[in-house]
Amino acid sequence: MLHMKNNELGQFIPMHYHYQMLTDDFRMEAFKNAIKKVVKPNDNVVELGSGTGIMSFLAAKQGANVWAVEFNPTLAAASRKFIKDNELSDRVKVINGDASTWLPPEPADVVICEMLHSALLREKQIQVIEAFRDSHYKRFGKIPVMIPNATILAVQPVYQKYDFYGYYAPVSLFQSPYHKDDNIFEVDPQVYKIVDYSESNNDTYDSDIYFNFKKDTSVNAIKFITKSLLSMDFYTGETVDWYSQNLVLPLYETLEIKENQIMNLNFSYNPGDSIEKLNNSINYGVVESVEKLKLVMSA
């Protein structure tokens, strides 16, 4: 049972999923640019959950000394070979270990951690960074620069087409944020959580949000948007950003919302939870007007 749990997707991603990540140009260009801006020659860099070692490779190419920590022994062995094949074994040391409990022998300047699932579900980005950050501070008295710096989570009611060759099937789905999707939406997304990795904790994301519709609209799904600030220049404000795939969850019934009516949406989950747990927590309804909402909120 423990072996099976450790091998769940999102906890223990097998090799054949990594090709898609390596060939995702939006992901790779964003991380390459962020690492180039943040990592300096002779920096000590730790990559938590290093996978194939591509981020460690990019940091080593900047002249850093890197510890790449990977829990999956098959991946650790493969990445060790890849690093050797790329002639960077002198700068990258691959560690087969638990990223949430491992610490480097000397202080890290930069930490890279890309366990970024949509809405911060399924993977343990928050838990791993929190555990490493707090243990590192306790031992060395400093918090390294984090890549990413932060993640912004937002949500948006949409109308999603669920007709497949005449077959109606409202299913959960992922959509690229970089290409036009089939969503129809009449309200802007609202942010429900900003995660700062220098101080974030594994707390519950309780959200109670209102959307004011300016025209008659049908809503049959909720889109979760995940934007990570990989690096930030605090002098210019320039950021390197990357969007994870949007997660679109169907509602159990379509809402027909009239002009000036307000949709109330609430949900609750912890980072790393399953998609099903988030889905099961979603509640929604319609408040008739802005005036009624003011009465409800003042009561």
Side-chain angles (χ1 to χ4, degrees), residues 54-298:
I54 180 67
M55 305 298 179
S56 294
F57 163 80
L58 293 173
K61 293 290 283 185
Q62 292 297 112
N65 303 301
V66 187
W67 293 282
V69 187
E70 172 55 49
F71 185 61
N72 182 332
T74 302
L75 268 178
S79 61
R80 194 174 288 116
K81 181 181 183 302
F82 298 155
I83 293 295
K84 181 180 179 181
D85 291 346
N86 284 275
E87 300 180 345
L88 282 170
S89 295
D90 60 326
R91 288 203 169 272
V92 180
K93 183 175 183 181
V94 179
I95 311 295
N96 180 202
D98 186 342
S100 65
T101 59
W102 182 86
L103 277 176
E106 52 187 293
D109 299 296
V110 180
V111 169
I112 304 168
C113 186
E114 199 283 88
M115 301 182 186
L116 291 163
H117 199 279
S118 304
L120 295 183
L121 294 164
R122 303 186 75 182
E123 297 199 61
K124 302 301 183 183
Q125 175 86 359
I126 297 292
Q127 293 90 329
V128 167
I129 287 183
E130 178 185 356
F132 180 89
R133 181 197 65 217
D134 294 351
S135 296
H136 188 278
Y137 182 79
K138 185 176 181 179
R139 177 174 293 184
F140 299 114
K142 64 175 286 190
I143 295 176
V145 175
M146 301 290 179
I147 300 177
N149 291 163
T151 296
I152 300 170
L153 302 176
V155 66
Q156 181 179 35
V158 299
Y159 184 83
Q160 170 66 42
K161 297 177 182 177
Y162 286 118
D163 185 286
F164 305 96
Y165 299 93
Y167 185 66
Y168 177 70
V171 296
S172 302
L173 57 97
F174 294 102
Q175 292 175 330
S176 170
Y178 296 101
H179 302 288
K180 186 179 183 303
D181 58 37
D182 294 328
N183 292 328
I184 298 171
F185 48 88
E186 302 296 346
V187 290
D188 292 331
Q190 288 197 37
V191 172
Y192 65 89
K193 184 69 176 181
I194 298 176
V195 178
D196 179 346
Y197 290 110
S198 67
E199 59 184 20
S200 61
N201 295 307
N202 183 27
D203 52 1
T204 302
Y205 299 168
D206 286 315
S207 299
D208 190 23
I209 304 171
Y210 292 88
F211 297 91
N212 189 1
F213 287 80
K214 299 300 184 182
K215 60 187 295 187
D216 292 0
T217 307
S218 296
V219 172
N220 69 350
I222 303 297
K223 179 167 70 174
F224 289 84
I225 301 165
T226 309
K227 175 183 178 181
S228 290
L229 281 62
L230 303 187
S231 68
M232 177 181 291
D233 187 320
F234 290 97
Y235 294 101
T236 66
E238 181 183 359
T239 63
V240 176
D241 303 331
W242 175 58
Y243 287 85
S244 303
Q245 286 187 312
N246 295 330
L247 171 63
V248 182
L249 299 179
L251 300 178
Y252 58 84
E253 64 177 357
T254 300
L255 280 182
E256 299 297 340
I257 303 177
K258 302 298 184 183
E259 180 182 358
N260 288 327
Q261 285 187 328
I262 295 170
M263 178 180 177
N264 175 223
L265 171 69
N266 59 74
F267 54 87
S268 177
Y269 70 98
N270 285 82
D273 279 348
S274 66
I275 294 172
E276 291 75 19
K277 187 164 185 178
L278 166 60
N279 204 6
N280 291 337
S281 77
I282 292 175
N283 291 292
Y284 58 95
V286 173
V287 178
E288 289 300 322
S289 65
V290 174
E291 288 69 26
K292 284 196 174 183
L293 174 60
K294 288 178 180 177
L295 289 174
V296 169
M297 295 183 71
S298 63

